[in-house]
Amino acid sequence: MRASMAALHKALCLLPIFFILGLGQPFFFGGRGYPRNPPNFNYGRGFRRDPPGFNFGRGGFGRDPPNFDFGGDEKNNDDVMKAMNPDFVTMYKGGWELASINSGVSAMHLILLPNNKAIMFDATNLGPSLIQLPHGNCRPVPGKNGEVDCWAHSVEYNIATGNVRTLKVLTDPWCSSGSLSVDGNLVQTGGWFDGGRAVRYLSACDTCDWKEYPTALSGQRWYATQQILPDGSFIVVGGRRMFNYEFVPEEGKSNPTNYDLPLLRETTDEGENNLYPFVHLSTDGSLFILANNRSILLNPVTGKVVREFPVLPGGSRNYPASGMSALLPIKLYGENAAVIPAEVLVCGGARSEAYKMAEKFIFLPALQSCGRIHITKPDSVWKMEHMPSPRVMGDMLNLPTGDILMINGAKRGTSGWEFADEPNFTPVLYKPKNKRGDRFTELAPTAIPRMYHSSSAVLPDGKILVAGSNTHNAYNFTVKFPTEVRVEKFWPPYLDPLLKIHKPTIVQESTPQAIKYGEEFTTMINLLAVKLDKTDLKVTMYAPPFTTHGYSMNQRLLVLAIREVVMAEIKTFRIKALAPPTSAVAPPGYYLLFVVHRGVPSHGVWCSLLNKYQKRQYSCMTTVDTSS
């Protein structure tokens, strides 16, 4: 009896060790050029022992006041926010997984559709890709009688399997723009040469292909930005030597004219540096537009400039200087104020002369500074801070937790063919709610340079799809920074395997077919927990962006008000949340819905946010969890 008890005691003592070892060994895949031992599970000193949780009080913002109007008794609401439980502690700095060794085309442009297929494409004028169109389905080459191109320049990428399906794009989408439509399809505008005035449509189905209207736009939209508006329509801003904007016409129609935007003419310089302007839809329906280093608030209905903001110091922020920008998470509450705060973050870029210097193969250091501004405050000014390292051509993504990820790019130079050097391999996590000076954390680096024409996307399982990179005007695999067709997935810190026990699972059947503005809706989660309440959870909705040239257009994360959390049965909890109040706060269309448990997000489910402009109803769509 004594011997058996001793054996049992020994086994119980060893159990935690087996638990840690078992969860600490996920399957990561190597490949040619990929490190044999990638930096997957680095439990170094990058994270503090006790990272802050949900501190919305004044102590969490340093000198900056919270600038949140909660409605009703602000003090009581502040007390509720301060009482929220902190995120679970992790020292995990992320990991890298080689998802595919050949995507067929290099992903100059990237967007995730609601059918869980990623659309990747580049230009049609760069010569052969690495995948051909089906036999007999070649495209005619514009301007060259009888010449055909049998190489694919666009693919549909299955995020679960890595399989690709070729797509045939006729007009050249080089340096174009796009976004998801209300019904979950891709609407895509502009490009080069024969594609400059084109509007393209791609539906989310297993057999769909590009549908194109080559003369739909009034101007050549090369390096322009496309943004969805509250009524579900689209505005297209700028483009090379296009100092104006226009609205995407109804399918099959063409625009007779466009609208002048003086900001674009005033901010062009020797290197241009105001292309792909940063455009964000504010919570009142106006548009924040930043070009080079100046920004305005534009009323898209009247065409009037509502406000001009102070100059953002430090250098140029738009293509070819190619900084990063994102609208910070929009926090919603049960009693929203008349003005719902909206805040923009801009990081990185290059000095205005960097492009001209790069033409001489002199690569200036990229910018290291960030500016952050409340665009809903009349007297707002830029609050400056610094990233751990300089970055140009990087991507900035909203994570489902409300944090920001900065990934890809270089430390020197600017956008352009072979105009940059020193890849920035190291992603950075930015926590907006932390005190200034304690917001940035460097994560595990990759081994693959992601330079000019790289891209990334947030996936339903919380991983980050990373693809592309081609610094040459053709596919070239023998140079310093070869054309990149490998696809990676980055695991952010919340995917630490030791946190998996805290991960909620949304009960698919419990989520409504569609969510209507301002209405309460119910969803349910499965979670191994004895007790759970509002202080443990966040419900977030994410609008997936169209990413190209370091800018993710139409990206948006909403943190919803939670009305109630109750236990429905053992390990199952019912959550009552409140939908966004208006289509200015959240344009209609498809979103990924997440439930976040103290910093650990669920697998996202696709849901449609409806308003009067939407003709059909679409159900929430099942997604496959590939995080295990």
Side-chain angles (χ1 to χ4, degrees), residues 318-443:
N318 297 92
Y319 182 92
S322 295
M324 309 170 287
S325 181
L327 188 69
L328 292 182
I330 298 171
K331 299 176 179 66
L332 303 173
Y333 302 95
E335 298 295 334
N336 288 304
V339 177
I340 296 174
E343 196 173 2
V344 166
L345 179 67
V346 178
C347 291
R351 287 160 52 180
S352 60
E353 66 271 27
Y355 186 84
K356 288 298 179 181
M357 297 297 287
E359 289 182 325
K360 305 172 186 177
F361 299 101
I362 300 172
F363 306 120
L364 299 180
L367 301 185
Q368 198 167 345
S369 63
C370 293
R372 183 169 163 176
I373 192 167
H374 286 271
I375 63 175
T376 46
K377 291 177 61 179
D379 57 348
S380 53
V381 295
W382 291 98
K383 303 294 180 67
M384 304 304 294
E385 46 195 329
H386 284 81
M387 300 181 288
S389 61
R391 195 180 300 263
V392 64
M393 303 182 295
D395 292 330
M396 184 180 283
L397 297 172
N398 287 85
L399 297 178
T401 55
D403 295 330
I404 302 292
L405 181 70
M406 304 173 191
I407 198 167
N408 297 341
K411 296 181 179 180
R412 307 181 71 88
T414 185
S415 288
W417 302 129
E418 301 174 359
F419 277 9
D421 202 359
E422 197 174 341
N424 197 327
F425 294 105
T426 306
V428 168
L429 188 70
Y430 178 85
K431 289 183 171 288
K433 61 183 177 289
N434 279 16
K435 294 180 181 180
R436 199 185 310 177
D438 189 30
R439 292 173 177 160
F440 297 94
T441 302
E442 291 191 296
L443 303 177

Side-chain angles (χ1 to χ4, degrees), residues 103 105 107 109-110 118-122 153-155 157 465 467 487:
S103 58
V105 304
H109 310 83
L110 174 64
I119 305 302
M120 301 176 179
F121 56 99
D122 57 9
H153 304 287
S154 174
V155 298
Y157 178 90
L465 193 72
V487 179

Side-chain angles (χ1 to χ4, degrees), residues 443-571:
L443 303 177
T446 182
I448 299 179
R450 299 289 182 179
M451 306 281 279
Y452 191 41
H453 293 151
S454 59
S455 56
S456 59
V458 176
L459 299 181
D461 61 9
K463 296 177 187 176
I464 310 301
L465 193 72
V466 181
S469 188
N470 187 15
T471 67
H472 323 286
N473 60 358
Y475 282 36
N476 190 332
F477 301 95
T478 61
V479 287
K480 182 177 181 180
F481 300 119
T483 303
E484 194 56 69
V485 292
R486 287 175 293 179
V487 179
E488 295 173 285
K489 290 181 180 178
F490 176 66
W491 295 42
Y494 52 66
L495 290 179
D496 180 351
L498 297 180
L499 294 180
K500 190 171 182 179
I501 192 173
H502 303 300
K503 178 179 178 178
T505 301
I506 295 177
V507 180
Q508 184 74 35
E509 298 76 17
S510 74
T511 308
Q513 288 192 340
I515 299 172
K516 296 182 179 180
Y517 287 98
E519 293 189 2
E520 186 176 274
F521 69 94
T522 301
T523 187
M524 298 179 74
I525 59 169
N526 290 329
L527 181 66
L528 186 60
V530 176
K531 180 183 176 184
L532 208 59
D533 59 34
K534 291 190 289 185
T535 64
D536 296 301
L537 300 176
K538 285 195 293 189
V539 177
T540 62
M541 292 176 63
Y542 179 66
F546 178 93
T547 298
T548 187
H549 290 76
Y551 180 46
S552 294
M553 306 175 192
N554 300 282
Q555 181 175 218
R556 205 173 194 85
L557 185 81
L558 303 128
V559 182
L560 305 185
I562 297 178
R563 290 277 181 84
E564 182 181 69
V565 178
V566 297
M567 179 180 283
E569 54 185 88
I570 295 176
K571 298 190 298 182

Side-chain angles (χ1 to χ4, degrees), residues 235-287:
I235 188 172
V236 185
V237 181
R240 194 166 195 187
R241 302 184 186 93
M242 296 297 296
F243 308 120
N244 47 55
Y245 63 90
E246 61 184 294
F247 301 92
V248 176
E250 292 183 20
E251 185 174 347
K253 296 185 178 181
S254 297
N255 280 343
T257 187
N258 49 57
Y259 304 90
D260 192 45
L261 187 60
L263 173 74
L264 299 179
R265 190 181 303 274
E266 294 164 4
T267 54
T268 194
D269 57 23
E270 191 178 18
E272 296 188 83
N273 286 317
N274 67 350
L275 303 177
Y276 277 130
F278 298 146
V279 181
H280 300 291
L281 178 67
S282 186
T283 52
D284 62 0
S286 57
L287 295 174

